Amino acid sequence: MAASPAAVAELEEERVTSIYRVARSIKRKQNSLYNALRSIYEDSIFVAEIAGLWPDLPLVANLRCGLWYSPRFEATCYFKSTDGHANNWSFSTSRLNLHLALLAGQRGGCIIVDSTRKGKRFPDSMSKTIPIWTCVLNRAIERWLRRMPRQIQVDGHQDLRISSSEIVERHNSADWDCSLHLPLWVSNTERAAIEDHIEEWSEQLEACGADIDSLASIIQKPLRPLWISQKTVIWLNEVPKYDSWDFTPIILVSASASHGTIQQRSTSEFSWHYIPGAGDDEESWARGLHPTLFWKHAYNLIDSGPSMCNQNASELVEKDRVYRAQRGDFSPQVTIITWKKLTNNAEQSCMSMTSELSDSMSAKSSNSERGLYWIGSTNVAVGTTVEGDNTYTCADCILNCDPKSISPCSTDDGYLHLPILSSKLDRFSLMNSLHLAIRFAGWHLKRGKKLVICCHNGEDISICVCLAILATLFDEEGCFDDGKLYKSTIITKWEMRRRLVFICKFAVNARPSRGNLKQVYGFLRREREHLVPTDPVSDVNVLEQKELGWSG
């Protein structure tokens, strides 16, 4: 008796589902925690070898993936691959990474580490985003040299008068390389399309208020990217000295091997599956581990093997969480959601934990004090939330934007706790809290007090709150005016960018999210409209049509 069409369809659907389940099961086993950590460890050996070729150059991690591939990073940077995607090329004035350019200028170059899972030798952040960045900075410096000011600032302190001829001789501006250097695998068509935007991006860099003077005085040779992967052939007896080049090298190291290598590997003890770019998307595999904790216990985790790796990692994460919680640090319980739970309940989600990096793996800055970054001479600082007897002794008042409150010992009435959530969790939490934050800041700053704004990582919410305070209470020069300029001018997105660039000049770890920046802009526009009623067809709306949106 022949089966009915419905029964045949049901059997076929079950067969397809079974194949899908088997494929997912294999993929889960291949992407296990042990495989990821072992892959990172193997790739870190290559990174160490490259760093050893130029030991005097600082090793820099491109957040977040690159941070896994070495225990000895001197600084971090943040270049997004999305800014280099085809037909989506961008130069972000929200992520200028000027601290990296200054570091490279001071040390004669730098080595940036990143990786990718997509089967490419290099992520788009290295293939296009960073080359665009170097070209735009070189173009801005070259323009500055052409204008030839007679007064420049050296190292941000000394004020020296240098003749035009001396500046020309020192920089040799006639040979200053402003061309776009892209890797060979980028097509000529794409290269031409990118070059069409370089002039526009250079003008944006100057217009946003970036400190081109400091760049021009410190960077003696034009920036230029070089690319190194595990397929790169390097003759060890002919490694050139970086100071012999006529440019400042930005050496881009892609840590992982491409898909052409053998994926299944084995040692005398264990067999494991190699994962290219294993450090990417850490929330999906790290089970609460972060780079600092991993490298502190790397050998124990690797030696434990596939069977014990998950258990040992869970114990380490919990011990670290308890240790930090006892010291008042932000340390939420890490929830591990199994694939079975995810399959049965698609609405269940896992809140990712943003872990604090140790001082040795964060950007170093003479401006930072106990994780604080003072914003010029504004008497305002941003930083991470820390609790202790000596917390923020250099400050008179604290504005805590962390969901977790602290008990400051050095302030009596100068403490305000605003538990602000990220825009991913609450689209209006920041906007609804800014009014109180600005009132608190204005009351204390008017009396000459020093204010610290802190959040759990010091990179996002505290930066956005600081941005709102500077926009409403300070003039364009960074001087406190109690809101006079804000009440008499129109706040545009471009003006917001200028204020953000000013903050990032001092807080080099700033990484405000697009959602939180939108809330700040929405708040400022809403408050401004309450102060001065506007006509629907006013200049405000005309300006709004011309402004650039926040980049992601």
Side-chain angles (χ1 to χ4, degrees), residues 121-145:
R121 287 178 62 188
F122 291 86
D124 284 339
S125 61
M126 289 184 164
S127 295
K128 284 166 278 188
T129 305
I130 295 178
I132 289 172
W133 174 78
T134 58
C135 181
V136 171
L137 292 191
N138 288 336
R139 191 73 61 90
I141 293 173
E142 194 269 343
R143 285 183 171 186
W144 185 91
L145 293 173

Short mmCIF file of all heavy atoms in Angstrom, two decimals, residues 121-145:
data_model
loop_
_atom_site.label_atom_id
_atom_site.label_comp_id
_atom_site.label_asym_id
_atom_site.label_seq_id
_atom_site.Cartn_x
_atom_site.Cartn_y
_atom_site.Cartn_z
N ARG A 121 42.14 36.11 4.67
CA ARG A 121 43.43 36.23 5.33
C ARG A 121 43.45 37.40 6.30
O ARG A 121 44.11 37.36 7.34
CB ARG A 121 44.54 36.40 4.29
CG ARG A 121 44.87 35.14 3.52
CD ARG A 121 45.94 35.40 2.48
NE ARG A 121 47.19 35.83 3.07
CZ ARG A 121 48.24 36.26 2.38
NH1 ARG A 121 48.17 36.34 1.06
NH2 ARG A 121 49.35 36.62 2.99
N PHE A 122 42.71 38.46 5.97
CA PHE A 122 42.67 39.65 6.80
C PHE A 122 41.22 40.11 6.95
O PHE A 122 40.44 40.04 5.99
CB PHE A 122 43.49 40.78 6.19
CG PHE A 122 44.97 40.55 6.19
CD1 PHE A 122 45.57 39.84 5.16
CD2 PHE A 122 45.76 41.00 7.22
CE1 PHE A 122 46.93 39.62 5.15
CE2 PHE A 122 47.12 40.79 7.22
CZ PHE A 122 47.71 40.09 6.19
N PRO A 123 40.85 40.60 8.13
CA PRO A 123 39.52 41.20 8.27
C PRO A 123 39.44 42.50 7.50
O PRO A 123 40.47 43.12 7.19
CB PRO A 123 39.39 41.42 9.78
CG PRO A 123 40.80 41.56 10.26
CD PRO A 123 41.62 40.65 9.39
N ASP A 124 38.24 42.95 7.19
CA ASP A 124 38.07 44.21 6.46
C ASP A 124 38.59 45.41 7.25
O ASP A 124 38.92 46.44 6.67
CB ASP A 124 36.59 44.43 6.12
CG ASP A 124 36.15 43.54 4.96
OD1 ASP A 124 37.03 43.09 4.20
OD2 ASP A 124 34.94 43.30 4.81
N SER A 125 38.66 45.27 8.58
CA SER A 125 39.23 46.36 9.38
C SER A 125 40.67 46.61 9.00
O SER A 125 41.15 47.76 9.05
CB SER A 125 39.13 46.02 10.87
OG SER A 125 39.86 44.84 11.17
N MET A 126 41.39 45.54 8.61
CA MET A 126 42.78 45.69 8.20
C MET A 126 42.93 45.93 6.70
O MET A 126 43.83 46.65 6.27
CB MET A 126 43.58 44.45 8.60
CG MET A 126 43.81 44.31 10.09
SD MET A 126 44.84 42.89 10.49
CE MET A 126 45.32 43.29 12.18
N SER A 127 42.06 45.32 5.91
CA SER A 127 42.17 45.47 4.46
C SER A 127 41.80 46.87 3.99
O SER A 127 42.40 47.40 3.05
CB SER A 127 41.26 44.45 3.75
OG SER A 127 41.70 43.14 4.01
N LYS A 128 40.81 47.50 4.66
CA LYS A 128 40.34 48.79 4.15
C LYS A 128 40.15 49.86 5.23
O LYS A 128 40.51 51.02 5.01
CB LYS A 128 39.02 48.58 3.38
CG LYS A 128 39.23 47.98 2.01
CD LYS A 128 37.94 47.46 1.38
CE LYS A 128 37.61 46.09 1.89
NZ LYS A 128 36.47 45.48 1.16
N THR A 129 39.60 49.52 6.41
CA THR A 129 39.33 50.55 7.42
C THR A 129 40.59 51.27 7.86
O THR A 129 40.64 52.51 7.87
CB THR A 129 38.62 49.93 8.64
OG1 THR A 129 37.44 49.23 8.22
CG2 THR A 129 38.23 51.02 9.63
N ILE A 130 41.63 50.51 8.23
CA ILE A 130 42.87 51.14 8.69
C ILE A 130 43.61 51.84 7.56
O ILE A 130 44.13 52.96 7.76
CB ILE A 130 43.76 50.10 9.41
CG1 ILE A 130 43.06 49.62 10.69
CG2 ILE A 130 45.13 50.67 9.74
CD1 ILE A 130 43.82 48.56 11.47
N PRO A 131 43.70 51.26 6.35
CA PRO A 131 44.31 52.03 5.25
C PRO A 131 43.60 53.35 4.97
O PRO A 131 44.26 54.36 4.68
CB PRO A 131 44.18 51.06 4.06
CG PRO A 131 44.22 49.70 4.67
CD PRO A 131 43.49 49.85 5.97
N ILE A 132 42.27 53.36 5.05
CA ILE A 132 41.54 54.63 4.89
C ILE A 132 41.94 55.60 5.98
O ILE A 132 42.18 56.79 5.73
CB ILE A 132 40.02 54.36 4.91
CG1 ILE A 132 39.57 53.65 3.62
CG2 ILE A 132 39.24 55.66 5.09
CD1 ILE A 132 38.13 53.18 3.66
N TRP A 133 42.03 55.11 7.20
CA TRP A 133 42.38 55.93 8.36
C TRP A 133 43.76 56.56 8.19
O TRP A 133 43.94 57.77 8.40
CB TRP A 133 42.30 55.07 9.61
CG TRP A 133 42.76 55.70 10.88
CD1 TRP A 133 42.06 56.58 11.65
CD2 TRP A 133 44.01 55.47 11.55
NE1 TRP A 133 42.80 56.92 12.77
CE2 TRP A 133 43.98 56.24 12.73
CE3 TRP A 133 45.12 54.69 11.27
CZ2 TRP A 133 45.05 56.26 13.62
CZ3 TRP A 133 46.18 54.70 12.16
CH2 TRP A 133 46.15 55.48 13.32
N THR A 134 44.76 55.76 7.79
CA THR A 134 46.11 56.30 7.62
C THR A 134 46.15 57.34 6.50
O THR A 134 46.82 58.37 6.62
CB THR A 134 47.11 55.17 7.31
OG1 THR A 134 46.70 54.46 6.13
CG2 THR A 134 47.19 54.19 8.46
N CYS A 135 45.43 57.08 5.41
CA CYS A 135 45.42 58.01 4.29
C CYS A 135 44.80 59.35 4.68
O CYS A 135 45.32 60.42 4.35
CB CYS A 135 44.68 57.39 3.11
SG CYS A 135 44.62 58.44 1.64
N VAL A 136 43.69 59.31 5.41
CA VAL A 136 43.00 60.54 5.81
C VAL A 136 43.87 61.35 6.77
O VAL A 136 43.99 62.58 6.65
CB VAL A 136 41.64 60.21 6.44
CG1 VAL A 136 41.02 61.46 7.06
CG2 VAL A 136 40.69 59.63 5.40
N LEU A 137 44.52 60.67 7.73
CA LEU A 137 45.40 61.38 8.65
C LEU A 137 46.59 62.00 7.91
O LEU A 137 46.97 63.15 8.19
CB LEU A 137 45.90 60.44 9.75
CG LEU A 137 44.86 59.91 10.75
CD1 LEU A 137 45.56 59.21 11.91
CD2 LEU A 137 43.97 61.02 11.29
N ASN A 138 47.17 61.25 6.99
CA ASN A 138 48.29 61.79 6.21
C ASN A 138 47.86 63.02 5.41
O ASN A 138 48.60 64.01 5.32
CB ASN A 138 48.84 60.73 5.26
CG ASN A 138 49.61 59.65 5.98
OD1 ASN A 138 50.13 59.86 7.07
ND2 ASN A 138 49.70 58.47 5.37
N ARG A 139 46.67 62.95 4.84
CA ARG A 139 46.16 64.08 4.06
C ARG A 139 45.95 65.32 4.96
O ARG A 139 46.28 66.44 4.56
CB ARG A 139 44.85 63.68 3.38
CG ARG A 139 44.33 64.65 2.34
CD ARG A 139 45.17 64.58 1.07
NE ARG A 139 45.14 63.27 0.46
CZ ARG A 139 44.27 62.87 -0.45
NH1 ARG A 139 43.31 63.70 -0.84
NH2 ARG A 139 44.35 61.66 -0.99
N ALA A 140 45.42 65.08 6.16
CA ALA A 140 45.20 66.21 7.08
C ALA A 140 46.52 66.82 7.53
O ALA A 140 46.63 68.06 7.63
CB ALA A 140 44.40 65.73 8.29
N ILE A 141 47.52 65.99 7.79
CA ILE A 141 48.82 66.51 8.20
C ILE A 141 49.47 67.29 7.05
O ILE A 141 50.07 68.35 7.27
CB ILE A 141 49.73 65.35 8.66
CG1 ILE A 141 49.19 64.73 9.95
CG2 ILE A 141 51.17 65.83 8.87
CD1 ILE A 141 49.92 63.48 10.40
N GLU A 142 49.34 66.76 5.84
CA GLU A 142 49.91 67.43 4.68
C GLU A 142 49.27 68.81 4.47
O GLU A 142 49.95 69.78 4.14
CB GLU A 142 49.72 66.55 3.44
CG GLU A 142 50.56 66.97 2.24
CD GLU A 142 49.81 67.94 1.34
OE1 GLU A 142 48.57 68.01 1.47
OE2 GLU A 142 50.47 68.62 0.53
N ARG A 143 47.98 68.90 4.70
CA ARG A 143 47.30 70.20 4.60
C ARG A 143 47.82 71.15 5.67
O ARG A 143 48.02 72.35 5.40
CB ARG A 143 45.79 70.00 4.78
CG ARG A 143 45.10 69.41 3.57
CD ARG A 143 43.61 69.35 3.87
NE ARG A 143 42.84 68.98 2.70
CZ ARG A 143 41.51 68.97 2.66
NH1 ARG A 143 40.82 69.32 3.72
NH2 ARG A 143 40.87 68.62 1.56
N TRP A 144 48.03 70.63 6.87
CA TRP A 144 48.55 71.46 7.95
C TRP A 144 49.93 71.99 7.60
O TRP A 144 50.27 73.14 7.87
CB TRP A 144 48.59 70.63 9.23
CG TRP A 144 48.99 71.40 10.46
CD1 TRP A 144 48.18 72.05 11.35
CD2 TRP A 144 50.32 71.59 10.95
NE1 TRP A 144 48.91 72.62 12.35
CE2 TRP A 144 50.24 72.35 12.13
CE3 TRP A 144 51.58 71.18 10.50
CZ2 TRP A 144 51.35 72.72 12.86
CZ3 TRP A 144 52.70 71.54 11.23
CH2 TRP A 144 52.58 72.30 12.41
N LEU A 145 50.77 71.14 7.00
CA LEU A 145 52.11 71.55 6.61
C LEU A 145 52.07 72.64 5.54
O LEU A 145 52.92 73.54 5.52
CB LEU A 145 52.90 70.34 6.09
CG LEU A 145 53.23 69.26 7.13
CD1 LEU A 145 53.85 68.04 6.45
CD2 LEU A 145 54.16 69.81 8.19
#
